[in-house]
Amino acid sequence: MIPVRGYGGKTVAVLGLGRSGLTAARALEAGGAEAVAWDDGAAARDRAEGEGIVLRDLTQGGAFDGVSALIVSPGIPHLYPTPHPVIAAAWEAGVPVDNDIGLFFRSFGNGDWDKFDTTPRVIAVTGSNGKSTTSALIHHVLEEAGRPAQLAGNIGRGVLDIEPARDGEVVVLELSSYQTDLARALTPDIAVFTNLTPDHLDRHGGMGGYFAAKRRLFAEGGPDRAVIGVDEVEGRYLANQLAEDGAEMRVIRVSAERKLDGPGWAVFARKGFLAEWRGGRQAGSIDLRDIKGLPGAHNHQNACAAYGALRAIGLGPKAIERGFASFAGLPHRSQRIAEKDGVVFVNDSKATNVDAAAKALAAFPKIRWICGGLQKEGGLDGLASDHVLKAYVIGREAEAFARQLSCESEVCGTMAVAVARAVEEAEPGETVLLAPAAASFDQYDSFERRGEDFAEQVAACLTS
């Protein structure tokens, strides 16, 4: 655990008692603060109280008397579509509002670092799609290269739940827009921006607010190096804002669509080959085509971003290539779960929006596509693929979802029916792909549970 510094002997309130909230309360106590906590859900309050967390009803008048700060869990809106009443009350009381990411960055470094030969470093990864895979890939390569490393944030452990840094350690953080938007301290050594596509627009008041939340990691964080995906206009803008001139080496531009020219530092992938160019000369390359854990152009973009971050901390191209080759991929993200009679089954349940699903569809040549769920704002505009042989639509609104598709489709409703029909019709050389292009909450508690159901139904069909 990382004890929170700066609040010794003070009272700090915590709103939200999920994973990050509970960890924040414990880390505050470990740093000498008195933590008081609240959650809108009675079950969460009971669970926290059973673990020794002191509760205080922050919705009551006077609740912020004597409180030095309010720490808010990432799922709680603080601005759009409307501020949570407790946050609004903290503003009125003049109480600073922060989150666990802000606490981490103000508390991670300590006096023990003076004894280290190599100062620990933090790589923070944000973006709309691919940030989990990019973060996990960076962490995997570091471990394969024998470098001490920890993975936390929006993936794995909460940021305050990790162990204090060791000599030369690298902490890899996946950070969502919910986390970067509110943090009062953002000081990574390396910051990575994968891409930007519409998502969480209600929470950020539109695309401008969404991009602004991501941009804070770079504009306010002041990283030593910035790895920026430039395949969207926002990435090109951000890279330009951070660069002092065309030969800038602080910025590493990344693309999975085209060769990047110029005298600066760039990493790009074309036709399955990753290339690093620095100062107008090629400095490294990797053939990504046969790396099973990184299929498709979207994963090649992830590979380029990870490569840039790893090169920024001094890892060599050969060590990175070895780590890429042994990367198995993440569950529910282009995860190859089975193959039988020439048919491959891929679980990409994390493809919860149109852009992520489109990238998954582009990764395989002949697809029997399982899709559907709780649609996000904007519908299915822009989602089309010549690779789809047929769609098998699930979800409570499966008929409405199917009507928006330009390909042949069948309304199946449930995962069991969709998998059974796809298995029945699939032929050698085809891929049965779960890439829902929608949230899971109409039928499942999470995208993970949806992916698990897909894997279970596939296993049942293949063994029957």
Side-chain angles (χ1 to χ4, degrees):
M1 177 168 286
I2 307 297
V4 173
R5 298 191 296 155
Y7 291 108
K10 299 178 180 180
T11 300
V12 179
V14 176
L15 177 63
L17 289 168
R19 182 191 67 171
S20 66
L22 288 172
T23 302
R26 297 189 189 104
L28 284 160
E29 295 278 359
E34 177 190 358
V36 296
W38 186 252
D39 193 287
D40 291 335
R45 295 197 300 268
D46 291 344
R47 183 171 60 253
E49 192 170 32
E51 295 182 19
I53 303 295
V54 176
L55 298 181
R56 178 186 292 187
D57 188 346
L58 298 177
T59 67
Q60 298 299 309
F64 286 101
D65 293 349
V67 171
S68 295
L70 172 66
I71 308 305
V72 178
S73 295
I76 299 172
H78 61 273
L79 189 55
Y80 302 113
T82 185
H84 189 281
V86 170
I87 296 175
W91 292 345
E92 290 297 319
V95 173
V97 179
D98 202 350
N99 62 14
D100 61 333
I101 305 302
L103 296 181
F104 168 83
F105 278 112
R106 69 183 289 170
S107 305
F108 183 52
N110 58 60
D112 291 341
W113 289 19
D114 294 337
K115 307 170 187 175
F116 293 163
D117 293 328
T118 304
T119 302
R121 307 184 81 180
V122 176
I123 300 174
V125 181
T126 195
S128 296
N129 299 309
K131 57 185 179 291
S132 294
T133 296
T134 300
S135 300
L137 181 57
I138 293 169
H139 179 255
H140 172 79
V141 174
L142 288 168
E143 289 199 320
E144 290 293 294
R147 294 283 296 272
Q150 297 188 72
L151 179 65
N154 203 46
I155 184 174
R157 304 167 72 177
V159 292
L160 294 170
D161 195 38
I162 67 173
E163 300 302 319
R166 296 167 287 176
D167 193 344
E169 185 159 51
V170 180
V171 173
V172 185
L173 302 181
E174 179 197 336
L175 300 182
S176 72
S177 58
Y178 291 4
Q179 294 169 310
T180 59
D181 197 17
L182 189 59
R184 296 172 73 91
L186 286 168
T187 54
D189 298 284
I190 313 295
V192 179
F193 177 87
T194 58
N195 50 56
L196 195 80
T197 58
D199 207 358
H200 310 304
L201 300 188
D202 59 335
R203 176 67 180 266
H204 296 292
M207 278 295 287
Y210 180 44
F211 176 51
K214 302 287 189 184
R215 184 176 178 271
R216 291 191 74 242
L217 184 64
F218 303 85
E220 299 186 26
D224 296 334
R225 301 270 190 215
V227 181
I228 309 291
V230 295
D231 287 337
E232 293 86 30
V233 65
E234 292 88 356
R236 293 191 287 276
Y237 167 83
L238 182 57
N240 183 268
Q241 287 277 297
L242 295 173
E244 293 295 331
D245 57 51
E248 175 67 69
M249 291 296 175
R250 180 189 170 209
V251 177
I252 304 174
R253 295 180 299 143
V254 166
S255 175
E257 295 181 354
R258 66 192 191 282
K259 179 181 178 181
L260 297 175
D261 296 316
W265 196 346
V267 182
F268 55 89
R270 296 179 67 199
K271 298 181 179 180
F273 288 90
L274 178 152
E276 175 193 4
W277 283 71
R278 195 186 311 192
R281 296 183 177 182
Q282 186 165 340
S285 64
I286 297 176
D287 185 349
L288 301 172
R289 293 174 299 174
D290 294 328
I291 299 178
K292 292 185 177 180
L294 297 168
H298 63 304
N299 274 310
H300 294 173
Q301 183 184 55
N302 299 334
C304 288
Y307 181 97
L310 291 160
R311 291 291 281 140
I313 60 169
L315 215 61
K318 292 299 182 185
I320 298 173
E321 183 174 14
R322 287 192 295 270
F324 281 8
S326 60
F327 182 66
L330 286 179
H332 316 297
R333 297 163 177 86
S334 295
Q335 179 190 18
R336 187 182 177 119
I337 61 170
E339 181 175 357
K340 185 175 182 181
D341 298 331
V343 178
V344 175
F345 296 83
V346 176
N347 168 20
D348 202 335
S349 184
K350 185 61 170 64
T352 59
N353 59 43
V354 167
D355 185 72
K359 289 176 177 176
L361 293 173
F364 307 97
K366 298 178 181 179
I367 299 172
R368 296 200 175 269
W369 178 29
I370 298 177
C371 57
L374 187 62
Q375 283 192 60
K376 294 188 175 181
E377 185 177 340
L380 302 180
D381 287 349
L383 184 58
S385 174
D386 295 335
H387 297 185
V388 176
L389 302 171
K390 183 177 178 179
Y392 305 81
V393 187
I394 64 172
R396 294 179 184 172
E397 303 296 330
E399 291 187 9
F401 195 101
R403 283 197 294 270
Q404 300 176 64
L405 300 176
S406 58
C407 60
E408 179 186 354
S409 63
E410 178 178 336
V411 174
C412 297
T414 67
M415 186 70 74
V417 173
V419 170
R421 292 290 296 138
V423 169
E424 180 182 341
E425 296 182 352
E427 298 181 357
E430 297 177 358
T431 298
V432 176
L433 171 68
L434 171 65
S440 60
F441 302 119
D442 60 332
Q443 291 182 310
Y444 300 94
D445 292 337
S446 64
F447 73 83
E448 291 95 341
R449 182 64 201 113
R450 177 172 60 190
E452 290 164 0
D453 189 23
F454 172 68
E456 291 163 4
Q457 299 301 331
V458 168
C461 286
L462 297 187
T463 56
S464 63

